[in-house]
DNA sequence: TTGAAAGCGCTAACAA
DNA sequence: TTGTTAGCGCTTTCAA
């Protein structure tokens, strides 16, 4: 099977023009006589010529490729973002190189370098926490970076998020208004900025506003999985809590099912409000009340922001906060 | 901000060797005197040199990149496969370019050409159905292709699947053994090979084996979403069915919730068995009995197969069938 | 064990 | 409006 690669040179020869002219036609450069353009397009079609993006990338120093670092594509939260990212990337003629990091700093740095070696034009980063090592890599390279659904306290790079503090505050306030005095805060690692700094702050603010006392015994740290939620239920009940604000849907549904298995009625005996309004909140019975985050949009807007950065356009603001809401469904009174 | 790109040439100069030698060191070519290697590595480290993968790709005609065509990353079934794909790709030093196709032939062809333009070394394709146009593109290019979790009746390219016919047969047999005489078959479009040719065949075989009559009124075609499952329930109940084999978990949980909303008890009054054993089957109450498919493994094995194809290694068989099972949980008696 | 030099396929000045 | 000609940064013969 011989290499039958058609190059720009073949097209030029067949069309009796120079490579430059073919290049102009391919790139939509207006400085080509219509007749010439027509002739070239015809040859391109006949020869079934397809420009080699790698050669193009080398010559032009642009790969029209965006690197996307994601903790885990098989997690619904992140895959929803990823879909928004890819759609907007496609809209602007970019492809995405997707790389799973498992949220670990070492792998993140490694993957980042790998993407930079591939000369991506920009990077979308998703992660639970931005470590110093990762931050150092960001500032070392001049490739634009945007964080999607991820918080970095020192806002060096672009980012798109919702106001996690405010959203958590509203959620907890709702539970307080419903008369709950012992409200559990159930989240992933508190060392992650988004949990420890943003959501926990919102939780505390809501308590203060409703004159409720902050109590460490009501704070639960846990991995983000269904089974972890199930496992947590005994401790939650022992704490005396009558309601919980939970930072992840999968975790929340674990708690819900655990309560069900214990014969506790939601929302009558225990109220729950969760954070991501994913499909899981709708398949649960009762359906879970939740903060609504525009996941797809967070991905989409991050990528739009990145395209501006890559084009060196003027940016009004590189930290974008999208609106969020509370949707009351079946797990709150 | 000036371009501070370090090239192989800079390294060569600093180390007093030729570019060729640096290239050898970078690529682990053994024909380099240890002392030279050490000196070069030292300079690489000092200059913080990172080889340009694009230039490498152009010169060597290999990009160490795999194109992945996926209907929708935000669908749990596909994202599980994607995770397996990326992990094995990473293991073999490849990156993946992920492109969503929405399962449509036009976009699939477009995306495929785009990936080929980027000179990917191989392609993993996921889709509900392989159309003639897509098949034509496959055979036109000599880039190896592997189907993951997708069926192509004429097995032109590599593929990794479970035996959908047999799995469906077992599932339906179980329902028949439990005494159900009217068993519904609820699936996505029957024109998709995997549903119409494989699963439906299995369904029919099971009926025949249990001396049950095939009845068109028990066959339901539907989109794969939760809400579609909900909407289907009235028709299912009208059909007189007392059990259903469902080809998608999200659809299944829709049916389950719809039955719950109608006051029908699962599994006492109606049995359900679904197909993908995703997280959804565990969060449901009762938990859904399901065919178990090794989703991650399907992705992983496809990619392993693709690496062999890309290396032109001998392949024992390019159609790989992974084992599947039935896991009885709460929705069957 | 090393180096020289010719590309890989394309873009982008610069000339004409 | 078109063509000529350097590269882009690397790999890969071929010689030495």
């Amino acid at each position: 099977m011989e290499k039958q690669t058609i190059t720009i040179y073949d097209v030029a020869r067949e069309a009796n023009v120079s490579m430059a002219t073919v290049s102009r036609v391919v790139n939509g450069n207006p400085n080509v006589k219509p007749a010439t353009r027509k002739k070239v397009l015809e040859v391109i079609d006949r020869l079934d010529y397809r420009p080699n993006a790698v050669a193009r990338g080398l010559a032009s120093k642009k790969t029209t490729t965006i690197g996307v670092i994601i903790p885990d594509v098989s997690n619904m939260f992140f895959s929803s973002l990823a879909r928004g990212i890819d759609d907007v990337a496609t809209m602007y003629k970019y492809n995405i190189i997707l790389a799973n990091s498992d949220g670990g700093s070492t792998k993140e740095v490694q993957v980042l370098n790998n993407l930079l070696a591939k000369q991506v034009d920009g990077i979308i980063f998703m992660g639970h926490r931005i470590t110093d090592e990762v931050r150092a890599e960001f500032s070392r390279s001049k490739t634009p970076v945007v964080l999607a659904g991820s918080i970095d306290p020192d806002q060096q790079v672009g980012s798109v998020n919702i106001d996690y503090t405010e959203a958590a505050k509203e959620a907890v306030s709702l539970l307080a208004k419903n008369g709950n005095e012992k409200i559990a805060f159930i989240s992933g690692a508190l060392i992650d900025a988004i949990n420890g700094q943003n959501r926990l702050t919102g939780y505390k603010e809501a308590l203060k506003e409703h004159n409720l006392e902050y109590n460490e015994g009501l704070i639960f740290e846990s991995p983000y999985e269904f089974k972890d939620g199930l496992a947590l239920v005994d401790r939650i009940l022992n704490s005396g809590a009558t309601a919980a604000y939970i930072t992840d849907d999968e975790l929340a549904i674990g708690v819900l099912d655990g309560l069900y298995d214990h014969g506790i009625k939601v929302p009558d005996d225990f109220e729950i409000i969760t954070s991501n309004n994913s499909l899981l909140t709708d398949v649960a019975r009762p359906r879970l009340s939740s903060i609504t985050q525009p996941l797809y949009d967070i991905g989409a807007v991050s990528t739009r922001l990145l395209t501006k950065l890559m084009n060196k356009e003027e940016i009004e603001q590189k930290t974008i906060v999208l609106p969020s809401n509370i949707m009351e469904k079946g797990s709150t009174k």
Side-chain angles (χ1 to χ4, degrees), chain A:
Chain A
M1 204 151 294
E2 67 279 30
K3 276 256 139 92
Q4 47 93 59
T5 358
I6 310 292
T7 74
I8 198 173
Y9 177 77
D10 299 315
V11 176
R13 186 169 28 74
E14 285 285 310
N16 289 311
V17 297
S18 71
M19 286 164 55
T21 299
V22 178
S23 175
R24 289 191 187 98
V25 170
V26 168
N27 293 298
N29 184 315
N31 294 336
V32 182
K33 199 164 44 164
T36 314
R37 176 186 308 282
K38 184 155 171 294
K39 184 174 58 178
V40 171
L41 285 175
E42 196 181 288
V43 174
I44 286 180
D45 198 51
R46 178 155 55 79
L47 261 43
D48 200 22
Y49 165 69
R50 174 194 291 139
N52 179 322
V54 173
R56 252 217 268 228
L58 184 58
S60 68
K61 296 177 167 309
K62 288 194 287 165
T63 55
T64 61
T65 303
I66 293 172
V68 177
I69 300 176
I70 192 170
D72 181 9
V73 246
S74 66
N75 173 303
M76 294 191 69
F77 177 80
F78 291 115
S79 65
S80 301
L81 295 184
R83 186 60 212 258
I85 293 167
D86 187 44
D87 281 0
V88 173
T90 301
M91 193 176 302
Y92 286 89
K93 312 281 182 207
Y94 286 89
N95 285 113
I96 64 174
I97 296 189
L98 204 283
N100 292 92
S101 70
D102 289 314
S105 192
T106 315
K107 199 153 172 212
E108 283 168 351
V109 169
Q110 185 181 312
V111 148
L112 188 56
N113 277 302
N114 194 231
L115 292 175
L116 292 174
K118 293 237 162 143
Q119 313 299 120
V120 295
D121 297 333
I123 288 185
I124 300 275
F125 184 94
M126 292 170 269
H128 299 295
R129 175 188 349 165
I130 318 293
T131 63
D132 291 338
E133 297 85 59
V134 171
R135 204 175 285 121
E137 295 293 326
F138 284 166
S139 38
R140 237 156 53 88
S141 103
K142 51 186 189 346
T143 306
V145 177
V146 172
L147 307 179
S150 311
I151 290 283
D152 185 17
D154 43 318
Q155 316 187 338
Q156 297 299 324
V157 297
S159 72
V160 178
N161 288 291
I162 63 165
D163 184 336
Y164 293 102
T165 305
E166 189 56 32
K169 182 176 169 185
E170 279 181 42
V172 175
S173 287
L174 175 68
L175 296 174
K177 270 185 221 140
N178 285 356
N180 296 287
E181 299 189 342
K182 291 197 162 191
I183 302 170
F185 176 86
I186 306 175
S187 88
L190 290 177
I191 195 177
D192 294 354
I194 203 167
N195 292 322
Q197 300 196 24
N198 298 63
R199 288 167 168 151
L200 188 56
T201 301
Y203 170 80
K204 287 177 179 170
E205 286 178 5
L207 292 189
K208 185 175 297 171
E209 209 162 78
H210 291 267
N211 298 312
L212 296 176
E213 206 173 316
Y214 174 74
N215 174 351
E216 286 235 328
L218 292 169
I219 308 298
F220 298 89
E221 260 181 290
S222 159
Y224 291 112
E225 289 188 30
F226 174 69
K227 61 177 189 318
D228 304 302
L230 278 178
L232 222 48
V233 169
D234 277 325
R235 285 176 50 211
I236 296 170
L237 292 176
N238 283 338
S239 74
T242 60
Y245 163 63
I246 307 180
T247 66
D248 181 82
D249 292 348
E250 197 177 319
L251 192 55
I253 204 163
V255 172
L256 176 71
D257 280 352
L259 290 169
Y260 174 93
D261 295 344
H262 277 70
I264 309 281
K265 284 232 182 331
V266 173
D268 299 341
D269 303 335
F270 197 100
E271 292 184 76
I272 292 178
I273 183 157
T274 180
S275 298
N276 299 334
N277 196 40
S278 67
L279 174 66
L280 291 179
T281 64
D282 287 319
V283 304
R285 285 297 179 269
R287 294 164 72 214
L288 290 169
S289 300
S290 177
I291 293 170
T292 59
Q293 288 189 56
L295 298 182
Y296 178 93
D297 295 351
I298 291 176
V301 172
S302 327
T303 307
R304 179 65 186 107
L305 174 59
L306 185 62
T307 62
K308 289 183 185 167
L309 256 20
M310 293 186 299
N311 287 331
K312 306 196 189 325
E313 293 175 26
E314 268 315 297
I315 306 294
E316 323 74 74
Q317 45 177 352
K318 63 177 189 175
T319 301
I320 298 181
V321 177
L322 261 29
S324 69
N325 258 303
I326 303 275
M327 187 179 289
E328 287 202 66
K329 304 189 205 172
S331 66
T332 45
K333 285 178 195 161

